[in-house]
Amino acid sequence: VFGSHTANVIRRLRRICRNYGSSPQFICCSATIANPVEHAEAMVGLPMMLIDDDGSPRGKRAFALWNPPLIDAAQGIRKSANTEAAELMPRLVVTHEAQTIAFTRSRSNSEVLCKYVRQRLTAAGYPRNAVTPYRAGYLPTRRREIEAGLASGQIRGVASTNALELGIDVGGLDACLIVGYPGTVASTWQQSGRAGRSDRDSLTILIAQDGPIDQYIMSHPDFIFGKPHEHAFIKHDNPYVLMDHIRCAAAELPLTGDDAALFGDDLGGIAEILADEGELAERDGRWYWRKSVNPAHEVRLRGVMSDSSYTVQDLDTNKVIASADEWAAYNLLHPGAVYMLDGETYLVEALDLTTRIAHVRKRRVEYFTLPHATAPVYPVDGDSQERTWRGCALWLGDIGVAPRVVGFEKRTFWRHECIGGGALDLPELRMETVGLDIQLPETATERAAKAGLDCDSGWVGASNALLGVLPGFVMCEDSDVAASWQDKVPPFYDRYPGGLGYVEKLYHIIEDVWQAAYELVRDCPCQNGCPACVGSLPARWDLPAEYTDMGRPFAPGMEIHGAGKIADKKAALFILRDVLGLPQPEPVQADRQAAFAEALDWALRLHLKGIEEDAIILKLRSAGWREVDVRELLGRMALYFE
């Protein structure tokens, strides 16, 4: 998104320079992409020459892959990567006196990690401000203070999102912790490069989460050290991005037909839309900006969702302490949320949607909150294309998505135990993006059903595996693409209005991604499915009902699509193998009577505890029970109670 915005800013700059008879030279630098010439030309819209002889000084760099220990080997559940980082970072700062940066995958993780590390450092006699979080939403003055503290060495550690990945000079750090694979090899090396400037030695530790791509890297280190960097691509003509910059360009200089060479063939259509809205006026073939305000102040270069900005107000001091965009406000500042800022916890008392103010109070609590969201997909008129691949019908086209935060859960610090939660009634946000449908061949679903497998749960698992390995093929993070299971058809979609080309790339390279997903699930050592392969946690006899009722999201804070559908590893592997035309292994026949006796005992105990029959059915299906066997088991239960 940022690259697409930047490409348009550069085009606006070139346009102004041209008006004054100037033609500047552009020098673009990157050490971490595979297609620098192609990407630079797309960025500035001019031919480029490659210079790739690296003469920069460098010290020794130690790079470690750190896999947290297994808590449950059968389910593939590992110790939290955040907890591991909280143990490693104080050792680096205190024992080795290494100024350390830890990159996390989310704003909340950066705050939680900082809280953990501070507790250990203050116990060792370090001042509280020796380590600090850094993320979007901080006020500019606070961000400048942190950057200055890092450069001077006063701050010994920082837990940051990718906001500090590049573009800001933080001096020469000694060590870098990467808490969870950042999504691309390029970002991995960018983050690693924040430590060990000039000829200084440095240490980087990549701490794996229990997701598919992280665990794949732990067993395939060549993915990091032997794989070329990804191809970068932008979409400067994304209509949601382009429209903002057409506004800005018109305010800078009147638009003419010649500007289509810079902004694309959609310039005229966008100008007419803006004219209908009263923002532009056309005279003698030139388009003029009509308003008095400067539209550049309203453009968010890092996003394409709503420009609505929320402020965070501390009710005890009556001061504004932070800001957030609309979607972040819905996720992090809803009523009942624990908002973390600079390692402190604030309880959100109210979120005023009219004034766009979140009212918070500083309170000491021993838990944090995670949002849950839905994202229903709906059809829209637009472009589309279709093709057939290995019997699967592929459809790529425009769709609508309506993301909405519907609830949240509370998790304890350190142990991450769920201690409750609540439902939310927040407005939905609508956007149009690009989606990809993959319809399986009927023969594949029929064969899976004959084998006694639940095709829906298998397709959920296969889809999660496809999304899990996709960042290894396109330059995206796992949060950039999502899937929604509605009417048994899971459309994958870009999670940005207008799309950024991710699912379009998947449409063209489905063979490679499908093969990688199959190998991921096939080689995973878990028994019934885990976060490292099919994504969702497997169903177990002792899973609390509220987990299955919520649909087990792929990861905390991500969308819940199609409640009640739990990933099934056996069915997912069957589907992935069948589409590739690979032979299925011979089924293993278990002792049916023993299985029935065990399941009947379990189901009766749940029923006596007040668990609804629908929840019992759901757990049986997710565990691979055939429909006919489920009905027989329910019949035996009925006879027992009679």
Side-chain angles (χ1 to χ4, degrees), residues 432-444:
E432 292 186 9
T433 184
V434 178
L436 170 65
D437 274 353
I438 304 175
Q439 297 220 25
L440 297 174
E442 290 186 8
T443 53

Side-chain angles (χ1 to χ4, degrees), residues 314 321 337-339 341 344-348 360-363:
D314 185 344
I321 59 174
V338 174
Y339 183 70
L341 183 75
E344 301 289 349
T345 53
Y346 294 79
L347 284 180
V348 180
V360 305
R361 292 186 191 274
K362 184 185 289 188
R363 292 291 183 269

Side-chain angles (χ1 to χ4, degrees), residues 84-94 98 100-102 113-114 117 121 131-132 156-159 177:
E84 291 289 274
E87 295 174 0
L88 288 169
M89 194 170 180
R91 287 158 65 179
L92 288 167
V93 172
V94 177
T100 304
I101 185 169
L113 177 58
C114 178
V117 175
L121 289 187
V131 62
T132 181
R156 303 306 300 165
V158 59
L177 301 178

